[in-house]
Amino acid sequence: MNLSSVKSEQQRRYNPTVEMKWIDHLPRDLIIEILSRLSPKDLCKFRCVSKSWQDLLTRDMEFTARHIQYSKQKPLLLVRKYLSDGIMELNKSKITIELISIDMQGNITDKFSEIIDGPVNTFVSCGPLSILCCMHTLYVCNPSVRQIVRVPYHSNNARLYNIAFGYLPVSNEYKIVHMFFNGNEKMGCEIFSFRSGENVGSGSWRRIMDCPFSAWTDEYPMCINGTIYWAVSSGWKDKSILCLDLEKEEFSSVCYPMHESKKYSFLEYIGLMGDLCVVGFCAEESIIDVWMLKDKKKKIWKMDYSINLYPLCPKFLIPCDDQSEDILVHLEQRDLICYSLKSQSYRRIEYYKAMRTYNKPCLYYGSLISVNVIGT
């Protein structure tokens, strides 16, 4: 046997598409159970096994739901970095951005780069997808399949001010919310909708009711159980949380919980176990208090946890999946810890040591959901 024959035999022997064909003889339910436990990176290789596998991995809603269920158990951090050699790409408004995926052990699992229209002002995620918002341009990204798609916008010169991103399970829709100044005391609001698994370009913008509050928003918004939340401030002390129900498309607000005996260095809102929570850090005692919104209609808060992190000093939080029991805390010591409310303990995620120039990450989970479907 000559050398070329040996290489050919080795390639055939270790070709994953050849090795995995035995699965076709198993029951469909078992096939879904096996494949749904694999990473998107592996599944992308298996789409070429057969047409039936291609359909299963890209169009089967039962498989997609099952795969997401397992992926949520292994969330990933997504961080962005501007590449210095790409700043002057094409023209002055173009830059090259690198997106890096990191697992909860601090290992880099994937990275890729893309040319976009300027620096990113808003970087938020919702489930498997992320939003990158530049001054005049908006992108939807699925890092698991390395897709970044530009969102069509009705005005090329309009500045994008405040962008939020959420998912509505009832209609299987993603919604991008844009709030902007409209010349009076209130803020205008428009929504871009597209269905999960469909081409982002098939979506459209439409105006909804104006935001009834004459206040500007700060901090990144987040989606919890079909409602988007923003921190709003009409002054240095009067802070509240703005809410937008994505199904009814109606605004409301809720005040922050009050605790007169403590002075919090920062107050941030996150989603935990399906509820809106406010986390307050008291620097004097190195304690973080976790307040949970127990009744949305009556706007009743309850402090369920008081966590002593001494000698650690939290700087800000990184939003997790809204059903999670974990809190990701970025520390002044340039460390990241994952605190489990279930076990009442934390572990360090050593992801900053090799990436000191990276920006604040967001959290997502792997999925094969395409944002740029061919042939739609």
Side-chain angles (χ1 to χ4, degrees), residues 344-362:
Q344 301 283 296
S345 61
Y346 70 85
R347 57 186 173 85
R348 276 184 160 84
I349 301 172
E350 303 288 345
Y351 83 110
Y352 261 122
K353 288 187 176 180
M355 292 169 282
R356 296 186 181 279
T357 60
Y358 283 37
N359 294 280
K360 180 178 178 178
C362 59

Side-chain angles (χ1 to χ4, degrees), residues 265-296:
S265 303
F266 69 72
L267 282 169
E268 291 195 28
Y269 56 95
I270 56 174
L272 286 172
M273 295 171 281
D275 291 325
L276 172 66
C277 299
V278 167
V279 178
F281 171 60
C282 179
E284 294 178 359
E285 303 173 23
S286 197
I287 287 177
I288 59 173
D289 293 332
V290 181
W291 297 79
M292 306 191 80
L293 185 62
K294 295 298 184 180
D295 191 321
K296 289 180 68 175

Side-chain angles (χ1 to χ4, degrees), residues 32-300:
I32 290 177
E33 187 65 25
I34 293 172
L35 295 181
S36 61
R37 296 170 182 265
L38 301 179
S39 70
K41 195 172 183 179
D42 290 330
L43 292 175
C44 284
K45 300 174 184 176
F46 299 145
R47 285 186 294 192
C48 60
V49 169
S50 65
K51 187 178 185 303
S52 62
W53 276 45
Q54 170 77 13
D55 292 340
L56 173 69
L57 298 177
T58 58
R59 295 182 175 87
D60 191 287
M61 296 305 295
E62 182 183 353
F63 169 78
T64 300
R66 192 68 172 157
H67 183 248
I68 286 176
Q69 181 182 347
Y70 282 114
S71 294
K72 284 184 176 182
Q73 299 173 16
K74 298 178 180 180
L76 297 165
L77 292 165
L78 184 66
V79 293
R80 69 192 192 276
K81 180 182 180 181
Y82 301 116
L83 300 181
S84 58
D85 59 352
I87 291 179
M88 299 304 293
E89 296 275 3
L90 302 182
N91 59 56
K92 293 182 179 180
S93 66
K94 303 285 185 178
I95 67 169
T96 300
I97 190 171
E98 186 177 50
L99 295 174
I100 299 92
S101 298
I102 303 168
D103 64 22
M104 301 308 285
Q105 286 71 47
N107 304 309
I108 294 178
T109 61
D110 194 25
K111 63 170 67 176
F112 70 102
S113 60
E114 187 76 25
I115 298 173
I116 61 173
D117 292 335
V120 175
N121 300 321
T122 303
F123 185 52
V124 293
S125 63
C126 181
L129 304 183
S130 301
I131 287 288
L132 294 87
C133 180
C134 307
M135 184 176 293
H136 303 288
T137 316
L138 189 61
Y139 300 89
V140 175
C141 170
N142 182 350
S144 298
V145 292
R146 297 186 173 187
Q147 287 184 351
I148 297 181
V149 178
R150 184 169 178 165
V151 177
Y153 194 59
H154 47 75
S155 174
N156 293 327
N157 297 319
R159 180 171 180 177
L160 297 167
Y161 285 94
N162 190 287
I163 294 291
F165 189 39
Y167 176 68
L168 190 60
V170 176
S171 56
N172 193 31
E173 277 184 302
Y174 285 95
K175 294 190 176 185
I176 301 171
V177 180
H178 176 219
M179 291 203 297
F180 54 91
F181 293 110
N182 61 4
N184 54 40
E185 292 185 354
K186 296 180 180 180
M187 294 170 60
C189 185
E190 57 186 355
I191 289 181
F192 181 89
S193 303
F194 64 96
R195 292 180 64 83
S196 177
E198 294 186 358
N199 199 321
V200 171
S202 65
S204 60
W205 289 96
R206 56 189 172 79
R207 284 287 299 267
I208 66 168
M209 65 180 291
D210 287 346
C211 177
F213 304 98
S214 58
W216 188 232
T217 62
D218 52 20
E219 302 178 20
Y220 281 177
M222 68 180 61
C223 183
I224 303 169
N225 275 346
T227 299
I228 292 180
Y229 298 94
W230 295 262
V232 299
S233 176
S234 56
W236 289 104
K237 297 180 180 180
D238 302 322
K239 293 191 71 174
S240 60
I241 298 173
L242 175 65
C243 321
L244 175 62
D245 185 313
L246 288 179
E247 184 175 8
K248 298 178 181 177
E249 297 186 350
E250 294 177 353
F251 286 100
S252 62
S253 67
V254 58
C255 293
Y256 273 81
M258 299 298 293
H259 198 288
E260 298 296 339
S261 63
K262 287 189 178 180
K263 294 181 179 179
Y264 292 123
S265 303
F266 69 72
L267 282 169
E268 291 195 28
Y269 56 95
I270 56 174
L272 286 172
M273 295 171 281
D275 291 325
L276 172 66
C277 299
V278 167
V279 178
F281 171 60
C282 179
E284 294 178 359
E285 303 173 23
S286 197
I287 287 177
I288 59 173
D289 293 332
V290 181
W291 297 79
M292 306 191 80
L293 185 62
K294 295 298 184 180
D295 191 321
K296 289 180 68 175
K297 291 184 179 179
K298 296 182 179 179
K299 303 177 182 179
I300 297 175

Side-chain angles (χ1 to χ4, degrees), residues 1-10:
M1 183 178 291
N2 58 36
L3 183 60
S4 61
S5 299
V6 173
K7 288 184 178 180
S8 177
E9 174 64 19
Q10 288 177 339

